[in-house]
Amino acid sequence: MYIDSEKQQQGVPQGPVVPDADKPQTYCNVRAVVLLAGSVRSTNLRRATERFVMDLPLDSQKTILDSWHDHLDDLAYELGLDHLPARVMVNQASDRPTDTNRTGPAEVQFQQDPLDFRGTGGLVSDVAKEYDDDDYLIVATANQVLFTPLPRLFEAMAAKKADVCLLSDRDSRPRGITLIRCGVLRDIASVGFVDLNEQALPEIAKHNRVKVCRYDQPAGMAIRTRQTYLDAVRIHHERMNGKCRLTGCEPDEDWSATFSIIEPGASVDPSAVVHDSVVLAGGRVEANAVLVRSIVGSRGWIGAGESVVDRIESSGGSRRRRA
């Protein structure tokens, strides 16, 4: 049973959970979580917001990185661990996401990839060299918002008792979370590009137990574009308000405003309408402007009376168009 870190922060007594004797040995052998935050190409969302995806807000109190902290703390308590390393891997040329001074059993460590263009398989193989053959890593895409608690997802994957277990949805689409035993990574080449799913796993499957865990409820949503980010934020707010059905990953089809996020340091006139949109610190929205399903970046500027729909304003674009 997973532990809710938010309840713990509110003072609800909750001690570490000691794994039951009938649970898979995997519970005792998880050594780290590896969050893959690097990418070969910079996305339009990253360029326009000038933010790492993990630094984007989910609500007025929490970023995507904060959400990961909560899930990782809950997983550590589920495993009965006082300390769980979570290694966020970013590109060599990238700055790291903004750290948060969080307390809890999960220790988030930001690390730059030791080599450029190593590929996910090569990167995870390099990390696994620090651990024993029977140790397990949880490897996940960092740029996603989880809708299902990570301990629940781990429990489903661990029950497969496999060397490698990939999480998928009911339609067999991968969900960006893999449980993998370090020993199966030893044969991956120590140099060169190796993709985990397309190159390494077919070879691993020839001699090891590779299974797929199909999870009926949506595990989460990958954040790649303006639309997927705002959809994830909307679902997050619907869940906070008890309105979201977890049978699918689509937000409710209505036009009532679900959220408006205005970061400290943003300037938004009280007469402006911010509908299912995000204004980042430094952004400016003038009087009687209307913002719908859009993002205003740190240098974005929406002029008085303007309407912006389904767009990212990154550097005063609206003001220049008006001129």
Side-chain angles (χ1 to χ4, degrees):
M1 180 180 298
Y2 83 99
I3 292 179
D4 190 333
S5 59
E6 293 183 359
K7 291 181 180 178
Q8 185 195 32
Q9 293 169 5
Q10 295 167 3
V12 179
Q14 301 192 50
V17 175
V18 178
D20 297 335
D22 59 347
K23 288 184 177 179
Q25 185 65 22
T26 310
Y27 272 72
C28 302
N29 289 16
V30 173
R31 292 293 175 260
V33 177
V34 180
L35 298 179
L36 303 176
S39 61
V40 176
R41 301 177 185 86
S42 177
T43 65
N44 182 56
L45 179 65
R46 168 77 173 90
R47 292 191 297 270
T49 61
E50 299 179 314
R51 295 274 187 96
F52 279 94
V53 169
M54 299 183 83
D55 282 335
L56 292 173
L58 280 177
D59 54 49
S60 60
Q61 303 293 327
K62 182 182 297 185
T63 64
I64 293 174
L65 177 57
D66 292 326
S67 176
W68 270 111
H69 268 287
D70 290 341
H71 285 286
L72 294 166
D73 282 343
D74 291 342
L75 177 63
Y77 283 112
E78 168 72 7
L79 298 174
L81 298 176
D82 295 327
H83 173 72
L84 177 64
R87 306 171 64 163
V88 182
M89 310 300 296
V90 298
N91 295 338
Q92 276 196 332
S94 300
D95 296 325
R96 72 180 197 177
T98 303
D99 200 359
T100 53
N101 295 321
R102 291 278 301 255
T103 59
E107 179 188 354
V108 174
Q109 308 164 355
F110 296 95
Q111 297 179 237
Q112 289 183 317
D113 299 353
L115 298 171
D116 283 330
F117 307 116
R118 187 72 173 97
T120 52
L123 175 59
V124 175
S125 173
D126 294 342
V127 172
K129 292 176 181 177
E130 303 176 25
Y131 302 98
D132 295 333
D133 283 355
D134 290 332
D135 291 340
Y136 277 80
L137 300 175
I138 298 173
V139 181
T141 302
N143 297 337
Q144 64 175 313
V145 177
L146 295 184
F147 301 138
T148 300
L150 183 57
R152 198 175 295 168
L153 300 174
F154 167 76
E155 184 177 18
M157 291 189 292
K160 294 294 184 178
K161 299 181 180 180
D163 295 302
V164 180
C165 184
L166 296 88
L167 187 72
S168 77
D169 62 18
R170 66 181 67 184
D171 297 325
S172 298
R173 291 176 298 183
R175 301 311 305 178
I177 302 178
T178 303
L179 180 64
I180 188 163
R181 187 173 64 81
C182 293
V184 306
L185 300 167
R186 305 304 187 209
D187 292 334
I188 291 179
S190 58
V191 294
F193 182 94
V194 182
D195 183 82
L196 180 61
N197 291 333
E198 295 185 6
Q199 295 174 275
L201 281 181
E203 293 301 315
I204 291 172
K206 292 178 180 179
H207 307 288
N208 300 277
R209 297 165 298 171
V210 176
K211 297 184 179 180
V212 175
C213 175
R214 292 181 176 83
Y215 203 81
D216 288 340
Q217 296 294 335
M221 179 175 288
I223 308 302
R224 299 186 180 92
T225 64
R226 172 198 58 82
Q227 180 176 342
T228 54
Y229 167 55
L230 294 178
D231 282 350
V233 173
R234 185 170 187 183
I235 293 172
H236 171 75
H237 281 258
E238 288 174 346
R239 293 186 64 212
M240 288 175 61
N241 298 325
K243 296 180 180 179
C244 183
R245 304 181 303 274
L246 262 184
T247 54
C249 269
E250 296 297 328
D252 291 339
E253 293 296 331
D254 65 62
W255 280 84
S256 60
T258 305
F259 70 90
S260 63
I261 300 177
I262 302 172
E263 282 192 329
S267 175
V268 178
D269 189 273
S271 64
V273 175
V274 180
H275 180 114
D276 284 355
S277 298
V278 176
V279 184
L280 299 177
R284 181 172 177 177
V285 182
E286 295 184 344
N288 299 311
V290 177
L291 196 64
V292 179
R293 297 190 303 274
S294 297
I295 304 170
V296 179
S298 61
R299 292 182 289 174
W301 190 341
I302 309 301
E306 283 200 76
S307 296
V308 174
V309 180
D310 293 334
R311 205 159 65 223
I312 303 178
E313 289 296 343
S314 57
S315 57
S318 289
R319 189 168 181 267
R320 287 199 302 272
R321 282 195 301 273
R322 182 181 61 184

